[in-house]
Amino acid sequence: MQSAISKATLGRLPAYLHYLENITSENISAPAIARALGLGEVLVRKDLSLVCGKGKPKTGYETDALTASLKAALGVNKVAPAILVGAGKLGTALMDYSGFRDYGMEIIAAFDKDEEKIRNVSGKPVYSMEQLRRFCQMHDVKIGIITVPADAAQSVCDQLIASGIEAIWNFSPVMLKIPQGVALQNENLALSLAHLHSMQID
C-alpha cells in the first residue's frame, strides 16, 4: 500500500500521527482531524484511505488502529540508524534534536574533515571522514544527512554512496547528482525563507 502514497501525502502523515498521539478519544473522524489541522476534509479522507482504508460510518477510525497504520506507513516501527556529514551549527542542531526517533530515524554519529570538530555532540561521536565507509559498513547505515557547504556537497554525496548509503537527506543548497536507486530529499532553507517572505503582507 505504501508504494501508492505520494510524496505530498507522506509529508502530511507526520502531522496526523502527532495529532493522534495527543488525543485521548478511542475513535476519531476525518472531519475532526481536518478541523484540528486546518486541512480540507476531502484531502484528509483521501490521505487516510491510502493508509488504512475508509473509516466506519458515524464512528470514524479507531484511534489506536489508525495510529498504528500511520506508523507503519512512515516506517517508524523500526528506528533506522543515520549518519550526518558536516558537524557545524546546522549539523549540531540536527544531532541535538531527539524527535527523529519518533519518525523512525536516529542520528548515531557525525563526520567532518575539520579535526577541531572531532568530539561528542549530545553524547554522539563525531569522526573524521576517513572513518566514514568503515563505520557505515560496520553499523549497516543506509541513511546519510548532508550539512556541508555547497562546494563540498557533491563530493560528500559520492562518498556516502560509496559507503553504502541508499537514502540522502540534503541540506546543502546544491542539486546533487545521484545514481538510480538512491533516494534523495532536498531541504533548501534559503528557498523556504524566500517563500516565507513572499507570503508576507505589506
Side-chain angles (χ1 to χ4, degrees):
M1 180 178 291
Q2 189 172 351
S3 61
I5 300 177
S6 68
K7 289 185 178 180
T9 295
L10 281 173
R12 290 186 290 270
L13 296 190
Y16 298 148
L17 179 59
H18 179 73
Y19 171 71
L20 292 175
E21 290 181 330
N22 287 277
I23 63 174
T24 57
S25 58
E26 293 183 1
N27 294 85
I28 188 68
S29 67
I33 296 174
R35 288 193 298 270
L37 300 180
L39 299 172
E41 181 180 332
V42 173
L43 179 65
V44 172
R45 289 186 187 279
K46 181 179 179 181
D47 287 345
L48 297 184
S49 70
L50 293 172
V51 173
C52 63
K54 296 181 179 180
K56 297 179 181 179
K58 296 184 180 180
T59 59
Y61 301 88
E62 292 183 8
T63 303
D64 289 345
L66 181 55
T67 299
S69 295
L70 287 167
K71 286 183 175 181
L74 289 166
V76 302
N77 292 320
K78 179 181 178 182
V79 177
I83 56 94
L84 178 147
V85 179
K89 292 182 178 179
L90 177 56
T92 298
L94 292 176
M95 292 180 72
D96 281 336
Y97 181 60
S98 61
F100 290 133
R101 283 188 62 89
D102 295 335
Y103 298 99
M105 184 189 79
E106 181 179 19
I107 300 173
I108 61 172
F111 297 81
D112 203 288
K113 67 177 183 179
D114 186 349
E115 293 295 327
E116 294 184 359
K117 294 179 181 177
I118 308 304
R119 64 194 191 285
N120 279 4
V121 176
S122 298
K124 301 171 184 177
V126 180
Y127 298 111
S128 66
M129 289 297 293
E130 288 73 18
Q131 296 175 272
L132 176 64
R133 179 179 293 199
R134 184 167 183 271
F135 184 93
C136 289
Q137 293 174 345
M138 285 184 61
H139 296 273
D140 194 28
V141 179
K142 301 300 180 184
I143 302 174
I145 303 170
I146 298 177
T147 55
V148 300
D151 58 357
Q154 186 61 58
S155 175
V156 167
C157 177
D158 295 341
Q159 292 179 71
L160 288 174
I161 294 170
S163 300
I165 294 298
E166 298 176 356
I168 295 174
W169 194 6
N170 175 39
F171 284 83
S172 297
V174 62
M175 296 298 295
L176 298 174
K177 297 178 181 178
I178 59 171
Q180 188 175 2
V182 175
L184 174 64
Q185 174 65 38
N186 291 301
E187 298 292 344
N188 192 321
L189 301 182
L191 183 60
S192 297
L193 181 59
H195 179 66
L196 183 63
H197 281 309
S198 70
M199 296 174 64
Q200 290 180 323
I201 300 176
D202 295 331

